[in-house]
Amino acid sequence: MNTQPEPDLSAEDDTHGPQFTRSDADAGNAEAQFGMGLRCTIASATPDYAQAAEWYRKAADQNHHLAQFNLGQMFAQGHGVAHDETTAVMWMRRAADGGDAGAQFNLANRCYRASMKIAASTAAESRIEAYKWYRLAAAQGYGTSQNSSDVVTMSMSREEVTQGNQRATAFVAKHCV
């Protein structure tokens, strides 16, 4: 049984944009559900990650990309849900495919780290994917994506960079129509 009080979503809050009520979230409003998840993680001294994960999942199932990213992070860190890297990557990929720059950056980091741990025959594929995701996040001005792209480029052949650019271009053409 959850003994924490429900977060108050009724007040206007300039730092988080328009606010919604619990009834909006219960009625299926994805933005309100995302807001409830966010409030569960930051509204009190003791975050209720399990409740946040439930709200994020409801919004994520409706294709709310930031909720997908946050839910992926929760699975990656084991906050409010069992730690599950496969599920974390699945939610991250959905958010990244939806254009979320944070998820794209996260996937790029995962691919780049993987490229350093796997056989040389498959490492190139991971570097190309890392490069693609870094480029997409960098195009949105996300954090250190440009610097990270430059770092991974140093370990790539000219052909791999060309493939990474082609994949980034194809992604934009497919998802930004």
Side-chain angles (χ1 to χ4, degrees), residues 25-42:
D26 287 336
N29 181 305
E31 193 63 36
Q33 292 166 340
F34 170 76
M36 288 294 291
L38 188 61
R39 294 286 182 162
C40 288
T41 60
I42 64 172

Side-chain angles (χ1 to χ4, degrees), residues 94-160:
R94 285 187 184 180
D97 284 342
D100 184 88
Q104 292 169 344
F105 183 78
N106 184 282
L107 279 179
N109 284 338
R110 288 169 176 273
C111 290
Y112 186 54
R113 282 193 307 269
S115 76
M116 294 183 270
K117 297 178 185 176
I118 56 179
S121 61
T122 55
E125 175 62 25
S126 290
R127 284 191 304 271
I128 293 166
E129 278 296 295
Y131 178 84
K132 173 189 85 174
W133 291 117
Y134 281 138
R135 297 299 304 148
L136 292 166
Q140 297 181 66
Y142 188 83
T144 61
S145 298
Q146 183 61 55
N147 291 342
S148 298
S149 174
D150 294 344
V151 169
V152 75
T153 301
M154 299 298 284
S155 64
M156 297 172 72
S157 69
R158 181 179 303 267
E159 293 80 19
E160 291 169 352

Side-chain angles (χ1 to χ4, degrees), residues 12-56:
E12 280 294 320
D13 180 348
D14 292 336
T15 62
H16 296 103
Q19 299 300 298
F20 299 93
T21 63
R22 167 71 188 257
S23 60
D24 292 329
D26 287 336
N29 181 305
E31 193 63 36
Q33 292 166 340
F34 170 76
M36 288 294 291
L38 188 61
R39 294 286 182 162
C40 288
T41 60
I42 64 172
S44 68
T46 308
D48 186 348
Y49 292 123
Q51 186 69 37
E54 289 179 33
W55 285 114
Y56 286 147

